[in-house]
Amino acid sequence: MGNPIAVSKDLSKTAYDHLWMHFTRMGSYQHTPVPTIVRGEGTYIYDDKGKRYLDGLAGLFVVQAGHGRAELAEAAAKQAQELAFFPVWSYAHPQAIELAERLAHYAPGDLNKVFFTTGGGEAVETAWKLAKQYHKLTGNPGKYKVISRTVAYHGTPQGALAITGLPALRAPFEPLVPGAHKVANTNIYRAPVFGDDPVAFGRWAADQIEQQILFEGPDTVAAVFLEPVQNAGGCFPPPPGYFERVREICDTHNVLLVSDEVICAFGRLGTMFACDKFGYVPDIITCAKGMTSGYSPIGAAVVSDRIAEPFYTGDSAFLHGYTFGGHPVSSAVALANLDIFERENLNQHVLDNESAFFSTLSKLHDLPIVGDVRGNGFFYGIELVKDKATKESFTPEECERLLYGFVSKKLFENGLYCRADDRGDPVVQVAPPLISDQSTFDEIEQIVRGVLAEAWTRI
């Protein structure tokens, strides 16, 4: 054997040389240090220089219970000693069994079957494949298409990416899986024709789904994929009556309704599953991120008994799976995380404090650059505009200079990790850990206020 590899003390250089970071312009770090986070505690993270930052994005909408939870690390270590790995391919293990039962208990209606993945994109991929095979088994082999919304993000695998409604993310990898079609999203801020009538807007937006189904042909459409609160574009909540109408449309045309809750499940909106907050029962829920608060990777598709029935009788099998789906260690961590949810009543904490969070962020309306503050639970977007009266947005070139050239870097420099995003119109997104309180809200507002006020002087 050769000599052990010497560990470099220059983490930034080593990161640039060897760590290909996700969704990252690697060239931007050619002459600039790579931000390196080494520790987390509660709602804060710390870099390799010892500087503290408020985690205003919960990692990536993930760290629901906060950083540094010893019991979650201990759950992982204990399970690894007992059974570190075994696949759920024709065999089961107790952790996956218990977690599946618990998720089924939390899920609405008859969503009682749990198919585990290792992440959200895989869960979306699973749901589309399941919808197609389900329709084949039930005598509708032509139903393979899916409908999702513009600007929506549903993941990066080839199928999930086809469902994603962000052209810039799709273009480098086209042609994608065929059959994915887009309809209007629920951004009422950019739908002035409806004025102050969110009910009429919700009906209109839902009816766009039916029009697309009819245009494609109901005998060709397998499923509709919708986030309860759409992430990309900056947190678009559903208007009143929207999901009730979508459920009606899907039932009319024998189309499955998939609630993509990779971000919104596990307390982000104050309920275990976000569909409960808006009063609808989907056919499939896709989820991941917050299930373990990020302490170990896992995802799932939670499926109704009706959709699972053709696979649970006779000799049919769902011809799909992942090596690490339902991993024993991840399942054990998820169970421990859900124990924290129940013991500390995290969902109720979000419900009790969401109005205060929204009110605190809404103070930013007095800045000329802030056009809209929207969201739900602990999940908000702050849309930036060039003209508040006309809602004029920034050009792509202006967004490049404003968001990436100044706002994103300045927020981090000032001690806030969050997201400045121009997938759609430019927004700053905040979604802190669910343990956050008024002091967290105030700190976020103060840092964002200072940065946006300075940004306005640079336009």
Side-chain angles (χ1 to χ4, degrees):
M1 292 179 62
N3 294 327
I5 297 174
V7 178
S8 172
K9 293 183 179 180
D10 187 347
L11 291 177
S12 178
K13 182 178 185 307
T14 304
Y16 177 75
D17 288 345
H18 301 293
L19 177 62
W20 198 333
M21 291 176 286
H22 299 195
F23 284 100
T24 300
R25 299 176 182 179
M26 293 304 297
S28 66
Y29 291 122
Q30 192 169 4
H31 304 293
T32 303
V34 176
T36 303
I37 305 302
V38 298
R39 185 169 70 87
E41 181 179 346
T43 58
Y44 293 95
I45 52 176
Y46 298 79
D47 69 16
D48 57 340
K49 306 295 190 297
K51 183 176 177 180
R52 188 181 80 166
Y53 306 83
L54 177 60
D55 184 356
L57 206 62
L60 196 61
F61 317 104
V62 171
V63 190
Q64 316 294 60
H67 296 276
R69 290 279 191 162
E71 65 191 276
L72 297 183
E74 290 164 2
K78 180 180 177 182
Q79 182 57 45
Q81 291 178 329
E82 184 175 302
L83 179 66
F85 175 74
F86 205 78
V88 290
W89 295 46
S90 301
Y91 298 85
H93 58 76
Q95 291 68 39
I97 295 170
E98 184 179 349
L99 180 58
E101 181 185 39
R102 198 152 174 185
L103 295 179
H105 170 74
Y106 292 139
D110 69 338
L111 277 75
N112 290 312
K113 304 296 189 289
V114 180
F115 190 99
F116 285 115
T117 68
T118 58
E122 290 178 354
V124 170
E125 202 80 2
T126 296
W128 191 2
K129 290 179 70 176
L130 177 59
K132 289 197 283 189
Q133 192 177 353
Y134 164 79
H135 285 300
K136 284 180 169 60
L137 291 174
T138 54
N140 296 286
K143 293 174 81 71
Y144 71 95
K145 298 175 184 176
V146 294
I147 294 170
S148 59
R149 297 182 292 205
T150 59
V151 192
Y153 176 86
H154 292 282
T156 56
Q158 287 283 302
L161 187 58
I163 299 173
T164 290
L166 294 160
L169 292 188
R170 295 155 50 93
F173 311 105
E174 291 173 336
L176 301 173
V177 178
H181 303 275
K182 309 294 175 287
V183 296
N185 57 47
T186 58
N187 183 5
I188 194 170
Y189 181 68
R190 292 292 174 185
V193 68
F194 292 95
D196 296 321
D197 192 348
V199 174
F201 173 63
R203 177 73 185 215
W204 173 86
D207 285 346
Q208 302 310 297
I209 294 173
E210 182 167 48
Q211 289 182 23
Q212 189 68 41
I213 291 171
L214 294 172
F215 179 80
E216 296 297 329
D219 57 340
T220 71
V221 180
V224 172
F225 281 71
L226 303 173
E227 294 170 280
V229 175
Q230 183 174 316
N231 170 41
C235 302
F236 305 145
Y242 174 79
F243 275 109
E244 180 181 7
R245 174 62 180 145
V246 172
R247 178 72 272 181
E248 182 182 76
I249 291 166
C250 289
D251 289 341
T252 297
H253 300 291
N254 188 23
V255 172
L256 305 192
L257 174 56
V258 180
S259 188
D260 184 356
E261 305 196 11
V262 171
I263 287 176
C264 292
F266 307 111
R268 183 51 52 192
L269 306 186
T271 51
M272 201 61 82
F273 288 113
C275 53
D276 280 336
K277 191 162 190 183
F278 300 118
Y280 68 98
V281 179
D283 299 297
I284 303 172
I285 296 172
T286 56
C287 57
K289 295 182 183 289
M291 196 190 308
T292 64
S293 284
Y295 284 68
S296 191
I298 198 168
V302 187
V303 184
S304 78
D305 288 334
R306 179 177 71 89
I307 306 307
E309 194 274 336
F311 302 91
Y312 269 68
T313 57
D315 57 2
S316 296
F318 182 31
L319 304 175
H320 177 68
Y322 299 102
T323 299
F324 295 112
H327 193 286
V329 172
S330 295
S331 298
V333 173
L335 289 166
N337 180 58
L338 296 173
D339 286 344
I340 291 174
F341 265 79
E342 295 186 359
R343 186 176 66 247
E344 299 184 9
N345 213 355
L346 289 184
N347 286 326
Q348 190 60 48
H349 176 75
V350 172
L351 295 176
D352 290 343
N353 288 276
E354 63 177 339
S355 294
F357 192 13
F358 178 68
S359 295
T360 302
L361 293 177
S362 293
K363 295 176 183 178
L364 297 167
H365 274 298
D366 65 3
L367 296 174
I369 197 173
V370 173
D372 194 27
V373 178
R374 56 180 176 258
N376 197 282
F378 277 17
F379 185 37
Y380 292 98
I382 303 157
E383 183 168 334
L384 311 183
V385 293
K386 212 165 31 171
D387 188 312
K388 193 188 291 273
T390 65
K391 302 182 183 179
E392 181 185 359
S393 191
F394 297 92
T395 67
E397 294 76 17
E398 290 169 333
C399 279
E400 179 72 23
R401 294 197 304 273
L402 177 70
L403 286 183
Y404 301 110
F406 179 75
V407 171
S408 185
K409 295 176 183 177
K410 197 68 173 180
L411 287 168
F412 193 68
E413 287 175 11
N414 287 8
L416 177 63
Y417 166 68
C418 61
R419 169 184 272 177
D421 191 11
D422 66 346
R423 297 179 300 174
D425 296 298
V427 295
V428 174
Q429 276 187 294
V430 289
L434 307 187
I435 58 173
S436 299
D437 56 19
Q438 187 62 51
S439 64
T440 311
F441 311 153
D442 289 338
E443 187 173 354
I444 290 172
E445 191 271 341
Q446 289 161 14
I447 294 174
V448 172
R449 173 177 293 277
V451 171
L452 294 186
E454 186 176 349
W456 181 253
T457 67
R458 294 168 171 260
I459 294 175

